[in-house]
Amino acid sequence: MGTALLQQGHYPNALRELLAAEKLDPNNQYVQNNLGLVYFMRQKFATAAQHLQRAIEIDPKYTEARNNYARVLIELEKYDQAIAELQKVTNDLTYPEPAKALVNLGMARFRKGDFARAKDNLAAALKINRENCLAQNLFGRSLFELGQFQAAATALDNAVLLCRDSGFDEPHYFSGLTHYKLGQTSSAISRMEEVIKFHPDSRYAKKAESLLKLMK
């Protein structure tokens, strides 16, 4: 029941059921993993890490929990530790979702500032799944940080299309910024206006407004 509620996004109820399950079976790796996911979704990252680490202690071959643990470590800014865990995940050839691990590895390296290796990890993820919104966005942002603006513009424009139903504002903003770097002012203005129109309360909306004043 807790797992079903987690999948439906009912996090308070999911937490209640999973805590009850933990009392009944404290050494169940799946309960520990799902508790970690609930706490992650509630942005209780330290607590999430504890449960996910416990899941791995119970079953060191539980690769999904290790991948989730690494994702939490990224939020805790423990990038080197996350990378070490993710290398174990990518080495597990039985893991059925390698793209997820590669995206997390790319994210860890991107946030660490290792943009070249992040780009390679994200390109590998996109070879497996071209429809991955987050991978496409981070791939474009890595190219942007490396000064490869033409390739970045293409990647970020693709990300805008892939992420259009997710409520994710970042691709619009960085697509606009990239077009501005390329001297394509009209395209840049369009993208910044999209940020304000579609994501008026987002973290990039005010930045987009400021840049629009400069562009116009």
Side-chain angles (χ1 to χ4, degrees):
M1 188 178 293
T3 301
L5 289 164
L6 169 62
Q7 291 171 344
Q8 294 164 16
H10 301 311
Y11 303 126
N13 291 336
L15 181 59
R16 185 185 64 245
E17 297 296 338
L18 288 164
L19 288 171
E22 184 184 32
K23 287 181 180 179
L24 294 170
D25 189 359
N27 294 317
N28 186 306
Q29 65 269 39
Y30 304 110
V31 172
Q32 294 299 324
N33 177 71
N34 289 347
L35 277 169
L37 290 176
V38 172
Y39 282 116
F40 174 79
M41 297 308 297
R42 303 302 297 273
Q43 299 188 339
K44 303 294 184 181
F45 301 123
T47 306
Q50 290 171 5
H51 285 285
L52 291 163
Q53 193 170 23
R54 179 63 185 139
I56 299 166
E57 288 171 358
I58 296 166
D59 182 2
K61 294 183 179 180
Y62 190 9
T63 302
E64 178 66 18
R66 192 178 298 279
N67 184 55
N68 293 334
Y69 178 50
R71 179 67 185 85
V72 173
L73 289 172
I74 293 170
E75 294 304 318
L76 292 171
E77 300 183 0
K78 297 180 179 181
Y79 303 127
D80 289 333
Q81 192 177 344
I83 289 166
E85 295 292 344
L86 288 162
Q87 286 171 333
K88 294 176 185 177
V89 175
T90 56
N91 286 336
D92 181 0
L93 299 182
T94 68
Y95 184 51
E97 298 191 77
K100 281 174 58 176
L102 287 165
V103 172
N104 284 342
L105 190 53
M107 181 187 297
R109 286 182 165 141
F110 180 88
R111 293 197 187 180
K112 188 183 175 184
D114 187 354
F115 303 118
R117 295 179 78 183
K119 181 194 75 170
D120 292 343
N121 294 142
L122 295 158
L126 287 167
K127 281 185 180 179
I128 299 169
N129 180 9
R130 282 252 163 232
E131 303 301 307
N132 190 306
C133 155
L134 183 58
Q136 191 71 56
N137 176 63
L138 284 172
F139 179 62
R141 288 201 58 193
S142 297
L143 290 165
F144 179 89
E145 295 295 340
L146 291 166
Q148 299 174 25
F149 298 124
Q150 192 62 60
T154 300
L156 288 163
D157 285 344
N158 288 337
V160 168
L161 294 174
L162 288 174
C163 303
R164 60 190 166 192
D165 296 326
S166 67
F168 190 32
D169 61 331
E170 199 168 282
H172 286 86
Y173 178 79
F174 281 97
S175 172
L177 202 57
T178 305
H179 283 292
Y180 189 58
K181 288 278 188 181
L182 290 167
Q184 299 166 354
T185 307
S186 61
S187 295
I189 288 172
S190 295
R191 287 294 188 218
M192 294 302 171
E193 288 176 341
E194 287 170 2
V195 174
I196 297 164
K197 179 180 178 181
F198 298 122
H199 311 284
D201 299 319
S202 73
R203 58 176 173 161
Y204 287 110
K206 288 186 178 180
K207 290 183 178 182
E209 287 177 359
S210 297
L211 281 174
L212 275 174
K213 291 176 183 177
L214 291 174
M215 292 175 186
K216 293 180 176 178

